[in-house]
Amino acid sequence: MLERYADCPVCKKKTVLKVPEGILDNAERYPFTIKVIHEDHYFYINLDSKASITDILSPEMVE
């Protein structure tokens, strides 16, 4: 499990993201977008090929 830190774009709180190590095994291209459930809302992050966060996106930017 890889730990990444991010500021939630919805509530502005800092959160620790626990990224499973094999999550990028089936990725066909990068950045790879993941939906993050945070408290009673959600946001998205983009990961590069080394599972580093490249972008933190609010739901409005993705949907």
Side-chain angles (χ1 to χ4, degrees), residues 12-59:
K12 310 298 183 213
K13 292 181 187 174
K14 184 169 288 290
T15 184
V16 178
L17 307 174
K18 296 185 187 227
V19 179
E21 289 192 40
I23 198 157
L24 299 175
D25 289 349
N26 295 324
E28 295 180 16
R29 60 180 216 168
Y30 298 97
F32 186 71
T33 304
I34 297 173
K35 183 177 184 178
V36 176
I37 306 297
H38 183 239
E39 297 178 1
D40 63 345
H41 53 275
Y42 60 93
F43 62 96
Y44 294 88
I45 60 171
N46 284 343
L47 299 177
D48 67 11
S49 61
K50 304 229 186 269
S52 295
I53 297 173
T54 60
D55 294 300
I56 300 171
L57 309 167
S58 65

